[in-house]
Amino acid sequence: MQPDQQPPVPVLDLSRQYAAVGDEITRAVADVCAAGRFILGREVGQLEAEIAARTGATQAVGCASGTDALWLAMAALNIGEGDAVVTTPFSFFATVSSILRAGARPVLADIDPASFNLSAGAVEEAAAADPTIRAVMPVHLYGQCADWDALAPVAQQHNLLLIEDAAQAFGATWNGVGAGALGDAAAFSFYPTKNLSAWGDAGLTTFRDAAAAEHAQSLRAHGMRRRYYHDEVGWNSRLDTVQAAVLLVKLRYINQWNDDRSHVAARYAQLFLDAKLVGSVDDGGIVLPVADPRGTHVWHQYVIRTPRRDDLRTHLAAHGIGSEVYYPVPLHMQQALLDLGYREGQFPESERAAREVLALPIFPELREDEQLRVVEAIRSYFA
Ligand SMILES: *Cc1c(COP(=O)(O)O)cnc(C)c1O
């Protein structure tokens, strides 16, 4: 095969979504521009109401980014100075930096290797050892909800709030309950690469308690309920009306897009089985992602494991196949977080995942011929 004679298979291609719905979105954006309500215009409230209804949360509050949505969840629930929050070291940096931004102390607990999500047993151990822990922040990594059957009883027993980092999981469910309605609060990101994405930075927090949501509405606008009267020190973190308009259009398609992702994932699984590539990491083969039957996975990412990850990635790049590593360095080993006092070896499952995971191209418009090329390139590596 002459790899450079074929166009590359991108890890994500947003231009195909733009070709399908770009005109519709452009018209919605033009309406916002004509109305001139760029800050907290009508579309923001409409989006908040629609997302609350879809997820099953009591109320939703838009803000400037997923990172701010995490901070807003904690700030609105009065988590801060003197409190600790347990989360996973195998996530994007914002999971932990938002805890610091809220003034609280992050406590890390290892993951379950099958799902890559926070282990309830590890949370239990942490909570039993540290009475300052007030909340647990599980991340629904790669689009799959953390094991709520195991986490909720631990939270209840230790009287902890549950905050979902649902940045990668719009539309995911657990036992029929939507991500966003599982915990006391949940943060969504609409960063352009997320499965529901804006045309720039945007985020949203959902709440179970209406009073907490009202607190968040005040906090995202300088702690101001009445214009120029400040009840507390908040921040400027509003969701742009333009971004809300973009998201309102995309909300009409998100179920279809999540279904399409699920078909892409099922097709990968079949193609890998047909190619006899599935084994165990210890045999040097690849391990496919597992979708827990208690939930609906939205396949934000399709992540395989292999001990020869870096080498395989180089081989794929040479064949024009895009891939990505989420995430190469666990958070306790990040330079910026060394002050937390953890050391290498403390979270072996997270550290192993960071060495072995590889995200393959997945997006709703990915074609079967492209998937065949991805699998063929991986087969040729192992041949
Ligand atoms: C993307 C992401 C965030 C941060 O969202 P931004 O919108 O980029 O600020 C937080 N947590 C996780 C798990 C994410 O994937």
Side-chain angles (χ1 to χ4, degrees), residues 64-70 90-96 98 137 139-142 165-169 187-194 200-203 300 326-327:
S65 70
T67 306
D68 277 3
L70 286 165
F90 192 58
S91 182
F92 179 59
F93 186 71
T95 303
V96 163
S98 63
M137 188 193 286
V139 179
H140 303 322
L141 202 68
Y142 306 145
D165 182 340
Q168 302 187 2
F188 290 96
S189 164
F190 306 121
Y191 183 80
T193 62
K194 304 289 156 106
D201 276 309
H300 174 56
Y326 308 106
Y327 297 91

Side-chain angles (χ1 to χ4, degrees), residues 245-328:
V246 171
L247 289 160
L248 276 169
V249 174
K250 292 199 187 185
L251 264 187
R252 302 205 276 269
Y253 298 94
I254 189 64
N255 288 350
Q256 181 62 53
W257 288 336
N258 282 344
D259 285 351
D260 292 345
R261 286 173 181 276
S262 171
H263 288 135
V264 169
R267 206 151 59 195
Y268 268 135
Q270 191 57 52
L271 291 171
F272 281 122
L273 283 172
D274 292 348
K276 301 197 170 15
L277 279 167
V278 183
S280 77
V281 168
D282 299 322
D283 302 336
I286 65 168
V287 173
L288 302 186
V290 185
D292 193 302
R294 294 170 291 179
T296 21
H297 197 319
V298 293
W299 299 103
H300 174 56
Q301 298 297 343
Y302 189 88
V303 175
I304 63 169
R305 268 184 194 265
T306 168
R308 294 155 78 181
R309 192 265 315 277
D310 292 332
D311 225 24
L312 173 60
R313 193 161 185 233
T314 308
H315 175 87
L316 291 180
H319 286 74
I321 310 292
S323 66
E324 195 46 82
V325 174
Y326 308 106
Y327 297 91

Side-chain angles (χ1 to χ4, degrees), residues 25-282:
I25 296 176
T26 304
R27 283 195 298 277
V29 169
D31 288 347
V32 173
C33 296
R37 288 285 313 276
F38 295 105
I39 302 296
L40 299 182
R42 178 178 55 82
E43 287 81 357
V44 174
Q46 202 180 327
L47 181 78
E48 290 169 339
E50 281 196 27
I51 289 183
R54 252 169 200 271
T55 56
T58 306
Q59 225 169 301
V61 181
C63 63
S65 70
T67 306
D68 277 3
L70 286 165
W71 161 75
L72 197 58
M74 288 178 276
L77 293 167
N78 301 309
I79 295 168
E81 201 81 31
D83 299 327
V85 179
V86 194
T87 192
T88 159
F90 192 58
S91 182
F92 179 59
F93 186 71
T95 303
V96 163
S97 67
S98 63
I99 296 171
L100 293 167
R101 171 73 181 76
R105 188 169 55 87
V107 170
L108 301 177
D110 212 352
I111 56 167
D112 159 33
S115 66
F116 302 104
N117 280 328
L118 190 58
S119 149
V123 172
E124 166 73 53
E125 247 176 74
D130 184 347
T132 69
I133 293 175
R134 272 203 58 210
V136 191
M137 188 193 286
V139 179
H140 303 322
L141 202 68
Y142 306 145
Q144 170 159 252
C145 290
D147 181 349
W148 226 258
D149 293 355
L151 286 163
V154 173
Q156 185 159 25
Q157 197 198 327
H158 294 275
N159 199 22
L160 309 176
L161 293 165
L162 276 161
I163 298 170
E164 306 166 58
D165 182 340
Q168 302 187 2
F170 192 91
T173 67
W174 185 266
N175 284 334
V177 180
L182 289 162
D184 297 283
F188 290 96
S189 164
F190 306 121
Y191 183 80
T193 62
K194 304 289 156 106
N195 68 317
L196 175 62
S197 64
W199 280 2
D201 276 309
L204 176 140
T205 312
T206 55
F207 291 92
R208 173 171 293 157
D209 176 29
E214 275 165 39
H215 189 192
Q217 281 168 345
S218 160
L219 285 167
R220 74 170 168 188
H222 297 294
M224 184 171 75
R225 285 176 214 237
R226 192 173 146 211
R227 205 166 174 76
Y228 304 129
Y229 291 78
H230 302 267
D231 309 324
E232 62 180 319
V233 179
W235 201 244
N236 174 5
S237 181
R238 295 168 301 226
L239 172 66
D240 284 339
T241 314
V242 163
Q243 300 302 348
V246 171
L247 289 160
L248 276 169
V249 174
K250 292 199 187 185
L251 264 187
R252 302 205 276 269
Y253 298 94
I254 189 64
N255 288 350
Q256 181 62 53
W257 288 336
N258 282 344
D259 285 351
D260 292 345
R261 286 173 181 276
S262 171
H263 288 135
V264 169
R267 206 151 59 195
Y268 268 135
Q270 191 57 52
L271 291 171
F272 281 122
L273 283 172
D274 292 348
K276 301 197 170 15
L277 279 167
V278 183
S280 77
V281 168
D282 299 322

